[in-house]
Amino acid sequence: FLCLAAKASPVAVGTMAERESITAVDFGSVPWIMRKLGVTDSGMTKTDTANILEARDFGSKVCIPRAERVGNNLRRLEPGEDGTINEITKQKVVGELYPIWGTGDVLGLSQFDPLFGNAWLGEFGLGVSLYFSTLQLVGMLLFLLGLINLNVASYFNSDEYSGGYQDPNQNGYDVPLNAFPLSVPGLWEISGGYRGTAWCPTKEDGLGSAGYKYGQGDTREETVAWKAGFDAGSKETLSYRDCPFNQKQANTDLFTTIIFFLFIMALEKVQGEVAEAIDEAMQTAQDYTIEVEDPGENDKDPWEWKNFFEEKFGPVTAVTVGVKNGRLIKILGERKAMLRSLNMIGWTNDKDDDFIAEEARTQLINGDKLDEGLLQQTHEVPGWKQTLQGFGLLQDSACACRKLDKLNQEIKENCRKKVEAGGAEPARVYVTFELEQSQRDCLEVMSVGSILALLDIKKPDMFVKDAHKDIEKEFKGNVLMVTQAPEPEDLLWENMDVEPIMVFALSMLYTTIGACIVMVLGGIVIGLTFAGQTALAGYTIAFSNSALPTIMKTLNSFEPHPTVTQQQGSLLFKLVLARWTISAIVVYAVTCIREFDSWATQPKIAGIMNIMIADIFVSPMIRFFTGLKLPQRFILPAFAKTQESANMLYTGSPWQLAERFSDMTKTLFICFFYSSLVPYAYFFACGALFMNYWCDKYMLLRRWQYAPKIDADIVKTTRMHMALILIVHNIITLHFFAGWPFDEVNHENKYDIDGAEAVDNYGATARNFTDCDLDSCTAYNAAEKELWGRGLFIVFSSRGYFNKDQETAVFMYQTMTIIMVVIICVIYFGRSNFNEVFKLFVGVPQDTTDVARRPADPEKEYFMKGEEGQSIKSTASDVDWNAYIPEINVPGLQFTQLATRLPEWHKITFTMQPPQDIEAAREMLGKELYLATKKITISEDGDVVAETCGTAEAQIVEAKALANGTYTNVKLEFNDVLPKKEKAKDSEKAWFTENNLSWTANKHLKCLNAYGDAVPATYRQNSLYYDPILSEFTKHMLFSRCMVFIAPDRQEVEHMHEVRKSEMMNGFMGTTSDIPDGPPAPVEEAQVDDVNLQFAEEGTSSVEMSPPFAPPSPAFDGGIPDVMPPPPPAAASFDGGDGGIPDAPPPAPVRRPSGNYAEEEEAPVEEEEAPAEEEEAPAEEEEAPA
């Protein structure tokens, strides 16, 4: 089914016309089941409040990963981002679905194909790409190991081991395999399903008593006399199994172990090199940024941090001061999610049961104290229902309103305390340098051990280069704890205000709770095993493995880790511990304690095989059908009360990369734990990984939610787990071989006794002994083969019951286990422990790799003609880095929420009729244009200036102004093209560009505002800073601040756009366009007409656009181009290349409008000389009314 679905998925097609016909997903008509539920053919629900087809379209554009072709590669589009505009046809290239059955090479890993053939999955993060490649590699290796172990399976099925009783074709006795879904008792069964396993047949295993002849031992398990018992007059007997251990078992398994060990070492080297190559090939913010973990409580000014680091290590590009407001932004996000939920259930609809009076809604939206009487007017709740609601049952909109009111009061109290304390204290500071070498020099000098930083002890000079020893290492007398910063997407800003010791304490608490849950589930498995319900125990294990991720993720969500990587690491530890314990350790421990001699019996082998088969089918299918969300997509949308609630039903399922890695290691753990008993375990594990690969790949590209990118650290941890699995395998196999064949006698010592005495002492039971008749009997010494209970672990002396092969095998495994423990501890634990100790007392280990430089090969990434060999600057146009801008993901909200003030990047100017009442006109425009009234200025002559945040918001305002026939001279232009100056007006406010944000606003995407209106999902609508509940507070005292000081070079931006345009032409048209070698030379004003004429005559894709930011032509179908023309820049900024940049580069040389640029050049100078103004007024950032 998965393969058919993959082949049926849309993939890249040859011609551009075919590509233009591709939509994100072709949903077709309304499903019949929805029509039965009252949905019309047009998609409208029965209540006429939501359109199902529109909701499906939302799911396809926002929730399903899409990409655009760049040559032969795929570039991942952000949620809601449109594809590139084709400059020739003026048509928007719709993002295509990622092909499930296919490969790509975005990250330049073609040299590793086919082993790393899914390189384009790196667009989802290096961790995701390595996860799928690891599944491929391990799966292929397991298949090879399975072929090698067929030698052991053949021995188990031979007469020498099992007397041929495993093969029904040889003796006529059949013990079929009953393991769903491979077989179902009473319907279909697999004949001789236990052939090739360690099963030692007995007459109780269905072989039939008719074939058992006295004294001949037709089966391999027999009853023998115990010599010690005979001497003592005891009448006890012992089990005897004639299934001897053979040296080929040890040789084959040891060879398998060595191969897997070498594979882990090779994987460590190859994946490490790949991760390093990708890290060096892709320049990100982390390569230029340091993190200060212990700023002083008054060190809030980004300018002070900039000046401190800049004068020591070189130009600073950006500084973010993250404050301790984690709880505040978390509950602000919860408040916004609750308002959205109330709007979705219809609290504004007076015909709905959940209707809330408008006055009560206004109080809750503004954050005022809720008047309980207003709720009682619309919601009279009987006493019995109130009682149940107190226990969380029968909740309705009134209950949600009370919770929201309580949350509002907490928000206000939190803000009040922070303002009274002089503002939120700094928690972290992120300093981004212009050069990578500056970051490394800073880490060498400023990075000190945690203990030294705590005691304010400077870094010893012996760890600092001579050239840097004179650099001052203190900031205002504080020895800073400086480390390399994580990626911006890796940060969890809502956990900034939690101290590390509290993070550790909470992690221990919830890990302990998780361990208790595992113990309970383990008890259930033990009970079922003792009851003989091995198949049910196997499925309980499979279902537990499916439920444990949800349980552990819930527990893990209460741990306030500062980064996603640490959060995933904690979850991975819990899941690995839980799954390994449930899947193997519990069953093994119980069996060793209660019935060690049952390992070779048919029920025990059946239980092991049931666990493995369930791991192949049950777990992936549960994950697959749960992820499809069939009820949410085909039934519940018909009952949606609002369009927003219908849209939410088509969002993807959440997932965790740690969960997927733990599932893979769980499969490996089960395989290697029992492989010495079931040689086919390698094939079972290979099948499980095959199912996981295709199931997870399909879900990732079609059903799962977008997840933050995870780096290679989690892959390192998984490789360490694989090494631990190998050690566990050696120890368990050592004990299995030492206890073979799991009976109670010493096969090496037997005694002949008189038959008459045997009859006198054992009576009639003597006839049941093997090799016993009226003349003589054979008795044996007893042997205790379970060694754990005797305190024997790895090193122990040879046992008296060992045969020669056993003695050799045990010694080999003891030696190999010790060697592997030493090597793995040195390679994994030794290196990591050394690094941790080094961080405690010295600081961050130095990066010994070369800094990134411009290559000389034009075919390589980051080539720039004329700059070969130069360091790549963080401000370069081809370095796509996100700034450290605070944002959080809130459950219940579909877009990432920004947690800082937004700059006004653009402004819309137009002329209206002179208003009689300017304030009334501003209020009217605010409602019409979706803007706060403080962002609108109206002169007495009717000249209007509307400041906006982001291109999407600017285009919405521009389109609305153009649509109003009474407005004239509508123009969109940049409002602030230069970074702030230290002494300039408003220099204390945040400043960054749209390119520095982690997601792209799109005017076609909708979200609900606080009043229930579906408005465009702009940055302002998805920023917690503009929540109306904060209007009474000085907001910049509550939020973190990001300041970008250096903007990328304007001409480089133009050049990179020309390169990208040429690549797109090559990819879509199959033509070869000339790619510029370097940035264009400054274009004189008089040359623009000639340039445009030349482009028009050649028929290239360049288009003259005048005036700047004109509304899109009908050919664009109302969409937002990925590339916008530039604003009218200051002459110095354009010609000198040292000014600001537009949020998207221009498509070609564009005619600049005439005007007096001298005045624009003067403006920054005047601002620089102006003194800093007073703190921003609390009412300045009021929430837009719609």
Side-chain angles (χ1 to χ4, degrees):
F1 173 79
L2 291 175
C3 294
L4 291 175
K7 290 185 176 181
S9 300
V11 296
V13 291
T15 66
M16 189 183 71
E18 289 172 321
R19 282 203 180 92
E20 288 172 355
S21 67
I22 297 177
T23 57
V25 169
D26 182 11
F27 288 113
S29 60
V30 176
W32 67 268
I33 189 172
M34 286 192 178
R35 292 198 297 271
K36 293 291 184 181
L37 295 173
V39 178
T40 65
D41 291 338
S42 63
M44 294 304 296
T45 58
K46 192 173 183 179
T47 57
D48 203 34
T49 55
N51 188 292
I52 303 305
L53 296 180
E54 182 180 336
R56 282 184 159 186
D57 187 59
F58 166 83
S60 71
K61 291 180 178 178
V62 180
C63 305
I64 297 179
R66 297 177 299 131
E68 66 175 0
R69 289 276 168 177
V70 181
N72 295 322
N73 299 323
L74 295 172
R75 182 186 75 85
R76 176 179 167 182
L77 298 175
E78 293 298 324
E81 181 185 356
D82 296 314
T84 303
I85 301 297
N86 185 281
E87 303 287 357
I88 294 179
T89 64
K90 310 299 188 296
Q91 295 293 317
K92 185 188 305 176
V93 180
V94 179
E96 61 185 81
L97 295 175
Y98 278 93
I100 297 177
W101 194 282
T103 59
D105 194 26
V106 167
L107 298 181
L109 297 180
S110 58
Q111 67 268 31
F112 295 104
D113 285 340
L115 300 184
F116 294 90
N118 293 297
W120 50 263
L121 286 173
E123 289 284 282
F124 296 84
L126 181 57
V128 172
S129 177
L130 292 180
Y131 166 68
F132 283 101
S133 65
T134 303
L135 283 178
Q136 288 178 303
L137 292 171
V138 176
M140 289 187 289
L141 178 68
L142 289 174
F143 186 81
L144 174 63
L145 298 182
L147 294 177
I148 294 173
N149 279 268
L150 289 178
N151 177 42
V152 178
S154 176
Y155 168 68
F156 285 155
N157 193 43
S158 66
D159 290 346
E160 181 183 357
Y161 179 81
S162 58
Y165 281 96
Q166 290 190 0
D167 189 351
N169 298 320
Q170 182 173 345
N171 286 290
Y173 303 123
D174 188 11
V175 182
L177 174 67
N178 293 326
F180 179 84
L182 296 184
S183 62
V184 176
L187 293 179
W188 68 86
E189 297 173 332
I190 297 180
S191 177
Y194 301 102
R195 282 177 291 181
T197 68
W199 169 45
C200 193
T202 68
K203 63 180 180 181
E204 288 80 12
D205 292 336
L207 297 179
S209 59
Y212 182 83
K213 297 180 180 179
Y214 161 74
Q216 296 182 4
D218 295 71
T219 57
R220 313 302 285 181
E221 183 179 43
E222 301 159 347
T223 305
V224 299
W226 181 18
K227 180 166 189 304
F230 178 81
D231 292 341
S234 172
K235 297 183 179 181
E236 296 184 31
T237 60
L238 302 174
S239 64
Y240 173 97
R241 289 196 180 100
D242 189 17
C243 296
F245 179 84
N246 191 284
Q247 185 64 39
K248 69 175 62 176
Q249 294 175 245
N251 293 340
T252 304
D253 191 85
L254 198 61
F255 182 61
T256 300
T257 302
I258 294 173
I259 290 178
F260 194 74
F261 178 74
L262 295 177
F263 169 79
I264 295 175
M265 297 298 103
L267 196 65
E268 171 83 13
K269 185 176 188 303
V270 172
Q271 288 188 338
E273 291 178 352
V274 169
E276 183 175 335
I278 293 174
D279 181 62
E280 292 179 356
M282 298 177 65
Q283 293 300 108
T284 62
Q286 185 182 34
D287 297 315
Y288 302 91
T289 307
I290 57 99
E291 178 186 49
V292 179
E293 297 187 7
D294 60 341
E297 60 181 17
N298 296 317
D299 300 332
K300 307 174 185 178
D301 188 357
W303 296 96
E304 290 185 343
W305 291 103
K306 173 184 181 292
N307 295 334
F308 174 80
F309 284 101
E310 195 167 63
E311 67 183 15
K312 294 174 174 58
F313 306 107
V316 170
T317 300
V319 171
T320 296
V321 179
V323 299
K324 296 181 179 180
N325 65 347
R327 177 61 184 170
L328 175 61
I329 62 176
K330 184 180 293 185
I331 56 182
L332 280 171
E334 291 176 7
R335 162 185 153 83
K336 196 168 186 178
M338 291 181 70
L339 284 170
R340 180 170 181 260
S341 176
L342 285 166
N343 279 302
M344 287 196 299
I345 65 176
W347 76 330
T348 60
N349 187 353
D350 57 4
K351 298 179 181 179
D352 196 286
D353 293 338
D354 289 310
F355 173 72
I356 299 295
E358 182 178 2
E359 187 177 352
R361 298 200 307 270
T362 303
Q363 291 175 352
L364 291 171
I365 291 172
N366 294 333
D368 300 330
K369 182 64 179 175
L370 177 65
D371 184 354
E372 182 66 27
L374 296 174
L375 287 183
Q376 296 177 356
Q377 292 177 7
T378 55
H379 288 75
E380 293 185 5
V381 181
W384 64 270
K385 189 174 181 180
Q386 291 181 4
T387 303
L388 292 177
Q389 287 179 347
F391 292 97
L393 303 175
L394 302 179
Q395 300 288 297
D396 55 15
S397 59
C399 294
C401 287
R402 294 185 181 96
K403 292 179 180 178
L404 179 57
D405 179 55
K406 185 177 180 181
L407 194 63
N408 286 343
Q409 305 315 308
E410 182 183 353
I411 290 172
K412 286 196 168 186
E413 181 63 23
N414 190 301
C415 293
R416 198 172 293 114
K417 289 181 178 179
K418 282 181 168 52
V419 171
E420 291 174 356
E425 295 182 10
R428 297 283 196 281
V429 177
Y430 299 94
V431 181
T432 303
F433 293 95
E434 187 177 30
L435 298 177
E436 189 175 359
Q437 187 61 51
S438 298
Q439 182 229 38
R440 296 193 180 184
D441 291 342
C442 178
L443 289 175
E444 179 202 339
V445 176
M446 305 296 296
S447 175
V448 300
S450 305
I451 295 178
L452 299 184
L454 182 65
L455 301 175
D456 274 341
I457 300 176
K458 297 180 182 180
K459 189 172 187 176
D461 287 342
M462 61 181 295
F463 296 103
V464 181
K465 296 178 181 178
D466 293 338
H468 299 153
K469 288 184 178 180
D470 295 334
I471 295 178
E472 177 57 41
K473 303 177 180 62
E474 294 180 333
F475 180 78
K476 296 182 178 180
N478 179 18
V479 176
L480 302 176
M481 184 175 176
V482 177
T483 62
Q484 183 175 14
E487 291 288 1
E489 299 89 346
D490 195 28
L491 288 170
L492 296 173
W493 296 89
E494 61 270 31
N495 296 334
M496 281 287 180
D497 51 359
V498 183
E499 297 297 330
I501 186 64
M502 183 59 65
V503 174
F504 175 78
L506 292 175
S507 298
M508 291 297 296
L509 172 63
Y510 291 110
T511 301
T512 303
I513 295 174
C516 294
I517 294 174
V518 171
M519 290 176 62
V520 172
L521 293 175
I524 296 174
V525 173
I526 292 171
L528 292 173
T529 303
F530 282 166
Q533 302 293 329
T534 57
L536 188 56
Y539 298 126
T540 302
I541 291 172
F543 280 102
S544 296
N545 285 326
S546 298
L548 281 171
T550 301
I551 297 173
M552 295 304 171
K553 282 186 288 187
T554 302
L555 292 174
N556 209 66
S557 65
F558 295 108
E559 299 178 9
H561 296 282
T563 64
V564 176
T565 299
Q566 293 182 24
Q567 186 184 62
Q568 291 288 299
S570 178
L571 177 61
L572 182 62
F573 174 78
K574 293 183 181 66
L575 289 174
V576 166
L577 177 65
R579 284 176 157 168
W580 290 12
T581 302
I582 291 293
S583 300
I585 295 176
V586 168
V587 176
Y588 178 81
V590 171
T591 304
C592 287
I593 295 172
R594 295 289 302 270
E595 44 187 16
F596 181 79
D597 59 343
S598 68
W599 280 116
T601 62
Q602 182 267 336
K604 186 61 64 178
I605 299 296
I608 295 172
M609 297 182 71
N610 271 291
I611 293 173
M612 295 179 178
I613 294 171
D615 189 47
I616 297 177
F617 297 101
V618 177
S619 297
M621 288 298 100
I622 290 176
R623 186 166 64 256
F624 178 76
F625 286 106
T626 302
L628 289 180
K629 300 173 67 175
L630 297 179
Q632 292 94 318
R633 293 173 180 268
F634 292 97
I635 298 178
L636 298 182
F639 304 97
K641 294 183 178 181
T642 63
Q643 186 63 49
E644 186 79 0
S645 59
N647 291 351
M648 284 300 295
L649 294 172
Y650 287 93
T651 57
S653 303
W655 67 285
Q656 301 276 0
L657 187 59
E659 176 188 349
R660 306 310 323 121
F661 271 113
S662 70
D663 200 38
M664 182 190 74
T665 57
K666 176 259 300 180
T667 298
L668 290 175
F669 189 78
I670 296 174
C671 167
F672 280 91
F673 202 96
Y674 294 118
S675 60
S676 59
L677 301 179
V678 183
Y680 301 131
Y682 298 103
F683 292 120
F684 289 136
C686 177
L689 297 188
F690 175 84
M691 290 289 290
N692 283 341
Y693 178 86
W694 288 110
C695 178
D696 291 350
K697 193 175 179 185
Y698 177 83
M699 299 305 292
L700 173 72
L701 302 179
R702 296 294 184 271
R703 286 294 181 264
W704 280 342
Q705 290 179 357
Y706 281 80
K709 294 181 180 180
I710 305 295
D711 60 20
D713 287 344
I714 193 171
V715 188
K716 294 179 184 177
T717 304
T718 299
R719 290 196 298 266
M720 181 182 69
H721 291 165
M722 293 168 65
L724 291 176
I725 288 172
L726 204 56
I727 293 178
V728 172
H729 166 75
N730 281 349
I731 296 173
I732 297 302
T733 303
L734 168 63
H735 281 260
F736 278 150
F737 286 171
W740 212 278
F742 312 107
D743 58 12
E744 301 171 312
V745 302
N746 184 340
H747 291 243
E748 301 302 307
N749 298 106
K750 59 183 179 180
Y751 306 89
D752 291 328
I753 61 176
D754 183 80
E757 291 184 273
V759 172
D760 290 340
N761 286 275
Y762 290 97
T765 60
R767 296 179 57 84
N768 295 327
F769 298 157
T770 301
D771 299 329
C772 185
D773 53 32
L774 296 179
D775 296 326
S776 65
C777 285
T778 303
Y780 294 83
N781 279 336
E784 178 60 48
K785 299 182 179 181
E786 195 284 299
L787 304 180
W788 292 102
R790 307 179 68 177
L792 302 178
F793 182 44
I794 297 177
V795 180
F796 49 83
S797 59
S798 176
R799 320 311 293 170
Y801 59 85
F802 285 174
N803 62 27
K804 186 176 180 180
D805 287 349
Q806 270 182 297
E807 187 171 359
T808 303
V810 167
F811 175 76
M812 290 166 54
Y813 268 85
Q814 288 175 328
T815 304
M816 179 60 67
T817 302
I818 294 173
I819 293 174
M820 285 190 176
V821 167
V822 172
I823 294 177
I824 290 173
C825 286
V826 170
I827 291 179
Y828 290 101
F829 300 102
R831 183 167 51 192
S832 61
N833 290 339
F834 173 81
N835 288 338
E836 291 303 318
V837 173
F838 194 87
K839 290 177 183 179
L840 280 176
F841 295 98
V842 180
V844 178
Q846 287 295 300
D847 190 342
T848 57
T849 60
D850 296 331
V851 297
R853 298 185 181 277
R854 296 283 181 187
D857 185 354
E859 300 296 325
K860 290 188 176 181
E861 190 79 12
Y862 299 113
F863 170 79
M864 191 75 72
K865 188 173 182 179
E867 297 186 12
E868 295 88 342
Q870 297 183 19
S871 297
I872 302 176
K873 297 180 179 180
S874 63
T875 53
S877 59
D878 51 353
V879 175
D880 186 18
W881 64 275
N882 297 328
Y884 289 80
I885 300 172
E887 59 184 24
I888 65 171
N889 293 306
V890 182
L893 296 179
Q894 63 198 67
F895 297 102
T896 299
Q897 299 298 300
L898 300 171
T900 187
R901 181 188 181 276
L902 297 171
E904 285 70 49
W905 290 298
H906 313 298
K907 66 180 178 182
I908 311 295
T909 61
F910 58 88
T911 303
M912 63 184 300
Q913 293 182 355
Q916 296 180 354
D917 187 339
I918 293 180
E919 288 302 318
R922 291 172 65 221
E923 291 287 343
M924 182 270 295
L925 286 177
K927 293 180 180 179
E928 180 181 351
L929 304 178
Y930 300 146
L931 286 178
T933 56
K934 289 293 183 181
K935 299 302 175 186
I936 301 174
T937 303
I938 306 177
S939 69
E940 294 181 354
D941 296 332
D943 294 330
V944 180
V945 177
E947 296 180 337
T948 62
C949 298
T951 302
E953 184 176 276
Q955 290 183 332
I956 294 165
V957 174
E958 180 194 28
K960 286 184 172 291
L962 288 169
N964 191 314
T966 63
Y967 302 154
T968 59
N969 300 324
V970 178
K971 186 183 297 183
L972 189 158
E973 58 188 35
F974 270 72
N975 182 34
D976 191 356
V977 297
L978 292 173
K980 302 287 185 182
K981 302 297 181 181
E982 185 169 4
K983 296 182 180 180
K985 177 183 177 181
D986 293 340
S987 64
E988 79 282 356
K989 296 180 180 179
W991 193 93
F992 44 86
T993 69
E994 283 186 84
N995 287 341
N996 296 134
L997 291 164
S998 65
W999 59 283
T1000 303
N1002 190 315
K1003 69 180 183 182
H1004 296 297
L1005 301 180
K1006 303 291 184 180
C1007 64
L1008 288 183
N1009 63 10
Y1011 305 94
D1013 302 318
V1015 297
T1018 60
Y1019 294 124
R1020 191 190 299 272
Q1021 290 291 344
N1022 290 282
S1023 176
L1024 303 176
Y1025 188 92
Y1026 300 98
D1027 195 310
I1029 196 175
L1030 303 176
S1031 59
E1032 63 183 84
F1033 301 101
T1034 306
K1035 291 188 287 188
H1036 74 265
M1037 301 175 66
L1038 306 173
F1039 287 88
S1040 302
R1041 182 160 43 133
C1042 174
M1043 294 293 295
V1044 175
F1045 305 106
I1046 306 176
D1049 186 272
R1050 173 72 171 267
Q1051 295 184 26
E1052 287 187 10
V1053 173
E1054 295 172 356
H1055 164 64
M1056 288 312 301
H1057 174 64
E1058 291 297 322
V1059 173
R1060 184 181 177 196
K1061 181 177 66 180
S1062 298
E1063 290 177 342
M1064 293 299 298
M1065 289 292 295
N1066 294 338
F1068 284 113
M1069 300 297 294
T1071 60
T1072 303
S1073 302
D1074 293 333
I1075 299 178
D1077 293 329
V1083 181
E1084 298 295 335
E1085 183 75 25
Q1087 297 175 344
V1088 175
D1089 285 335
D1090 296 336
V1091 172
N1092 285 332
L1093 179 61
Q1094 177 186 356
F1095 273 60
E1097 290 175 348
E1098 293 177 356
T1100 63
S1101 58
S1102 182
V1103 181
E1104 178 182 355
M1105 296 185 182
S1106 181
F1109 284 94
S1113 64
F1116 290 120
D1117 194 28
I1120 300 178
D1122 186 56
V1123 178
M1124 298 300 300
S1133 174
F1134 184 78
D1135 295 335
D1138 57 354
I1141 63 164
D1143 292 300
V1150 180
R1151 184 192 308 276
R1152 290 183 295 172
S1154 60
N1156 186 355
Y1157 289 97
E1159 293 180 2
E1160 295 185 21
E1161 292 176 14
E1162 297 288 336
V1165 177
E1166 293 176 359
E1167 287 188 358
E1168 183 175 1
E1169 295 176 354
E1173 299 208 344
E1174 60 185 13
E1175 292 182 343
E1176 96 188 92
E1180 180 181 348
E1181 305 289 355
E1182 67 181 24
E1183 172 70 10

